[in-house]
Amino acid sequence: MHVLLVEDDEPVAESLRRGLRRYGFEVDWVTTGAAALAHSDPYDVVLLDLGLPDTDGLDVCKALRERGDVPIIVISARSDETDRVVGLELGADDYVSKPFGVREVIARIRAVMRRVQRRTAADSGTGGADRYGSRLTVDRKAARVHVDGEVVALAPKEYDLLSFLTEEPGALMSREQIMEAVWDANWFGPTKTLDVHVAALRRKFAGVVAIEAVRGVGFRLEVVGGTAAGPGPVPGPGGPAS
């Protein structure tokens, strides 16, 4: 994934660049609004500081949004609610206040990109089944999961968890990311429920996927015998999941 980073604070920019690259992102860094608007190389998401030396970042946000639908995440020391609201109204997809951690920014990027992919699939009518390896199919449109062409009965949160983890096979997801995506952004209960659901998925999908626990961080799903392919038809018959 290619990131356009618009940030004039060199220490902040260098920290972000190093962190993003460690997670496999490519980063183009510019320090002014004019350079951001003149940037011609393709990119998938913009990280935009508001406190730029040549112009207000909100004006850059508005200009970028008028050009297209590339996701924009504002990163700013301005924590005032007015700036946050105005930024979102001008077309930003998310807003991160300084100081922040690289992992938080990466989580925001992934969340924004998931929303964009879902909108794209809905708009194009291609939000059908995705195949992972030779055995597993996740039909997000119908909310059904098949193994070897047969529907696997899943509880609602088991399905939500599997659907989330298979969006990026091999990616390490923190417990916080998973709880926010699968349960609720305001979840305050124990995260032990996550371990219970992971254990259930391991039982039901033994030999199909492996869910690795990374101590102190979260979980990583790997497809056994292969990686995700593109959308495709669900093989074989199947009734509704329970």
Side-chain angles (χ1 to χ4, degrees):
M1 189 179 299
H2 211 125
V3 177
L4 175 60
L5 172 61
V6 189
E7 171 63 73
D8 68 315
D9 187 320
E10 184 172 350
V12 171
E14 286 294 350
S15 177
L16 268 174
R17 289 174 74 191
R18 286 195 302 270
L20 289 169
R21 285 171 174 171
R22 280 200 304 270
Y23 281 83
F25 294 85
E26 295 182 37
V27 183
D28 289 344
W29 173 33
V30 298
T31 59
T32 66
L37 296 175
H39 192 78
S40 58
D41 292 338
Y43 48 85
D44 301 298
V45 63
V46 180
L47 297 180
L48 173 64
D49 183 28
L50 294 187
L52 300 173
D54 60 335
T55 186
D56 193 312
L58 291 173
D59 294 330
V60 179
C61 178
K62 181 180 180 182
L64 289 173
R65 179 52 65 234
E66 289 173 349
R67 292 183 177 186
D69 297 325
V70 173
I72 301 170
I73 300 176
V74 168
I75 51 174
S76 178
R78 304 182 192 175
S79 57
D80 185 84
E81 184 180 0
T82 301
D83 283 322
R84 183 185 297 266
V85 171
V86 170
L88 295 173
E89 288 181 343
L90 289 177
D93 295 89
D94 206 345
Y95 193 112
V96 184
S97 297
K98 296 178 181 177
F100 50 76
V102 172
R103 282 173 55 189
E104 178 187 0
V105 175
I106 290 171
R108 299 294 185 101
I109 291 174
R110 286 174 171 164
V112 165
M113 295 308 296
R114 282 195 298 272
R115 293 198 295 268
V116 169
Q117 290 163 1
R118 286 167 185 156
R119 287 201 303 266
T120 302
D123 292 343
S124 63
T126 59
D130 297 317
R131 183 184 292 278
Y132 300 91
S134 61
R135 304 183 62 195
L136 175 66
T137 304
V138 180
D139 186 345
R140 291 178 172 85
K141 190 172 183 180
R144 292 184 184 137
V145 176
H146 296 72
V147 171
D148 299 331
E150 298 295 328
V151 172
V152 179
L154 297 174
K157 286 303 180 188
E158 291 174 354
Y159 167 80
D160 291 342
L161 177 58
L162 181 69
S163 178
F164 176 73
L165 291 175
T166 52
E167 285 180 356
E168 293 185 74
L172 175 58
M173 299 297 186
S174 71
R175 299 180 75 92
E176 292 79 10
Q177 285 176 261
I178 298 171
M179 294 302 296
E180 180 174 342
V182 177
W183 276 265
D184 187 87
N186 298 312
W187 174 269
F188 293 108
T191 60
K192 182 67 175 175
T193 187
L194 171 56
D195 299 279
V196 171
H197 283 75
V198 166
L201 292 183
R202 284 172 173 159
R203 288 194 304 272
K204 293 183 178 183
F205 294 94
V208 180
V209 299
I211 304 177
E212 175 193 2
V214 179
R215 187 177 180 84
V217 183
F219 295 92
R220 177 189 290 113
L221 180 143
E222 299 282 359
V223 178
V224 176
T227 57
V234 174
S242 59

